[in-house]
């Protein structure tokens, strides 16, 4: 890989675009499955969040980093990250408001019989949102300087 | 301690990848060796029946980390490697060797894998979690029960660390990351 090849590293390929278009929904579904089903099988928010974040990286791989960045609304990513923290803290503080300890899920039991299970799954979903959006943000942050070093080396 | 063929070959593979990641001179090759190492480790976790850890290692170690390394690599100019491997400094080898020896010396005092008399299995806390996890938290995966319920406050801390690390990285570098 020589320096002058770098700025045009993205190659538009019909095969990759078609494959990603077909595979991406399944990967996102798998990520959500890992997050939700973490209560009963291996997995959870951290793992599922990373897989969800990798969907965006896959799209960037197929359609180019810049066009993916323009397509993705920054408010969605920011809302995912802060929403995840708010959901987690909200569930934790909710139990305290009902007179229990922080994150003592069984305080919700009078309102819903599966309260613990779904409380935990909501928490996992919140974690997933945080991890996915931070992974996406870091990815675009590193990619923002894409080709800069090569261009400066030419000068 | 006896190793099955699968475990033995996985360990050898991981060891080769680790040495390769350390010794290869070309950074791209080094990153690839590191990704292969992570993948091997995640399979080892699966074989050792720790699928939660294995999934994390595969997604974070082999997946995201490799992508971030590759992006960082694309942002730098690396000189063309003139030889395949780094030149080895024997003093470093001696130091690393001594460290490995010290670590290896602790291995015989570990309980065997799956030993029912191991302190962590028979421990009061472990038994409590295994017995009460489903009754108290309604989830079958004891790992998730500990993570999100018994140790929920710790997990909140972890999640907030990830969140604030992301926020700090984005704001310190002050780049127009999103259009």
């Amino acid at each position: 890989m020589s320096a002058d090849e770098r700025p045009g590293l993205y190659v538009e390929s019909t095969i990759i675009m078609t494959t990603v278009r077909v595979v991406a929904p399944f990967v996102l579904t798998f990520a959500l499955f890992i997050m939700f089903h973490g209560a009963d099988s291996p997995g959870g928010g951290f793992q599922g969040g990373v897989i969800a974040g990798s969907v965006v990286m896959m799209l960037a791989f197929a359609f180019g980093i810049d066009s993916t960045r323009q397509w993705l609304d920054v408010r969605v990513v920011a809302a995912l990250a802060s929403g995840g923290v708010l959901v987690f803290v909200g569930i934790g503080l909710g139990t305290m408001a009902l007179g229990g300890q922080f994150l003592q899920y069984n305080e919700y039991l009078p309102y819903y019989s599966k309260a613990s299970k779904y409380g935990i799954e909501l928490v996992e979903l919140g974690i997933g949102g945080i991890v996915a959006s931070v992974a996406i943000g870091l990815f675009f942050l590193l990619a923002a300087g894409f080709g800069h070093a090569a261009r400066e080396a030419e000068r | 301690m006896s190793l099955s063929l699968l475990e033995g070959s996985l360990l050898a593979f991981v060891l080769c990848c680790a040495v390769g990641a350390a010794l290869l001179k070309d950074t791209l090759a080094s990153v690839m060796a590191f990704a292969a190492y992570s993948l091997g480790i995640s399979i080892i976790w699966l074989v050792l029946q720790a699928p939660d850890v294995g999934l994390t290692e595969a997604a974070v170690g082999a997946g995201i980390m490799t992508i971030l390394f590759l992006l960082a690599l694309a942002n730098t100019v690396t000189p063309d490697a003139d030889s395949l491997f780094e030149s080895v400094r024997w003093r470093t080898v001696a130091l690393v060797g001594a460290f490995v020896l010290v670590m290896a010396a602790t291995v015989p005092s570990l309980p065997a894998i799956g030993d029912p008399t191991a302190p962590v299995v028979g421990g009061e806390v472990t038994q409590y979690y295994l017995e009460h996890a489903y009754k108290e938290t309604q989830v079958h995966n004891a790992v998730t029960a500990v993570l999100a319920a018994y140790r929920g406050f710790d997990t909140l801390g972890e999640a907030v660390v990830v969140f604030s690390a992301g926020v700090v990285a984005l704001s310190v570098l002050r780049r127009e990351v999103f259009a």
Side-chain angles (χ1 to χ4, degrees):
Chain A
M1 220 194 326
S2 67
D4 53 327
E5 284 174 8
R6 275 211 191 94
L9 207 65
Y10 169 63
V11 182
E12 196 177 285
S13 155
T14 318
I15 297 174
I16 295 178
M17 283 198 284
T18 316
T19 313
V20 166
R21 206 173 280 150
V22 172
V23 168
F26 289 100
V27 178
L28 192 60
T29 313
F30 180 62
L32 289 173
F33 171 80
I34 293 277
M35 274 186 238
F36 279 119
H37 217 257
D40 290 328
S41 66
F46 287 100
Q47 296 94 325
V50 172
I51 298 174
S54 72
V55 173
V56 173
M57 291 173 204
M58 229 163 62
L59 292 175
F61 177 59
F63 300 100
I65 291 170
D66 283 322
S67 27
T68 310
R69 186 158 60 216
Q70 275 151 21
W71 168 74
L72 199 69
D73 196 340
V74 61
R75 282 168 299 181
V76 175
V77 181
L80 260 182
S82 23
V85 176
L86 286 180
V87 164
F88 202 151
V89 174
I91 288 175
L93 292 183
T95 55
M96 287 177 86
L98 293 171
Q101 301 281 315
F102 186 75
L103 279 179
Q104 191 185 341
Y105 298 105
N106 53 17
E107 288 294 324
Y108 293 124
L109 276 180
Y111 308 98
Y112 192 62
S113 61
K114 289 257 179 200
S116 275
K117 187 183 170 78
Y118 286 97
I120 287 177
E121 280 179 1
L122 268 179
V123 162
E124 296 278 10
L125 204 62
I127 298 172
I130 301 170
V131 174
S133 46
V134 167
I136 294 168
L138 284 182
F139 170 71
F140 282 131
L141 187 68
L142 277 176
F146 199 68
H148 286 191
R151 256 172 262 143
E152 267 159 38
E154 279 166 26
R155 273 186 223 139
Chain B
M1 195 173 82
S2 62
L3 286 173
S4 72
L5 185 65
L6 179 66
E7 286 166 349
S9 43
L10 274 174
L11 282 175
F13 173 74
V14 163
L15 210 61
C16 289
C17 287
V19 172
L23 285 185
L24 281 169
K25 190 144 197 174
D26 185 34
T27 328
L28 183 65
S30 193
V31 168
M32 284 303 145
F34 190 64
Y37 161 83
S38 282
L39 200 64
I41 284 278
S42 72
I43 298 172
I44 287 184
W45 289 130
L46 276 184
V47 171
L48 295 181
Q49 304 191 352
D52 283 274
V53 191
L55 203 54
T56 315
E57 180 68 41
V60 179
I64 296 284
M65 281 311 291
T66 311
I67 295 179
L68 294 184
F69 273 142
L70 287 180
L71 276 178
L73 210 58
N75 276 326
T76 52
V77 181
T78 39
D80 288 329
D82 44 358
S83 61
L84 187 57
F85 293 108
E86 293 276 357
S87 55
V88 177
R89 278 178 226 86
W90 292 110
R91 234 189 298 172
T92 321
V93 172
L95 191 70
V96 172
F99 182 68
V100 169
L101 269 183
V102 170
M103 296 298 282
T106 64
V107 170
S109 55
L110 288 174
I113 294 163
D115 184 0
T117 59
V120 97
V121 177
E124 216 176 301
V125 181
T126 313
Q127 287 307 321
Y128 180 86
Y129 285 152
L130 290 179
E131 272 167 34
H132 296 80
Y134 184 65
K135 230 184 301 164
E136 289 180 355
T137 64
Q138 301 173 327
V139 294
H140 288 288
N141 185 358
V143 176
T144 304
V146 173
L147 196 85
Y150 293 112
R151 293 276 172 273
F153 195 64
D154 293 2
T155 309
L156 175 66
E158 282 169 33
V160 170
V161 162
V162 172
F163 173 73
S164 27
V167 169
V168 165
L170 287 170
S171 54
V172 164
L173 293 171
R174 276 186 185 282
R175 277 247 189 80
E176 278 301 313
V177 175
F178 292 97

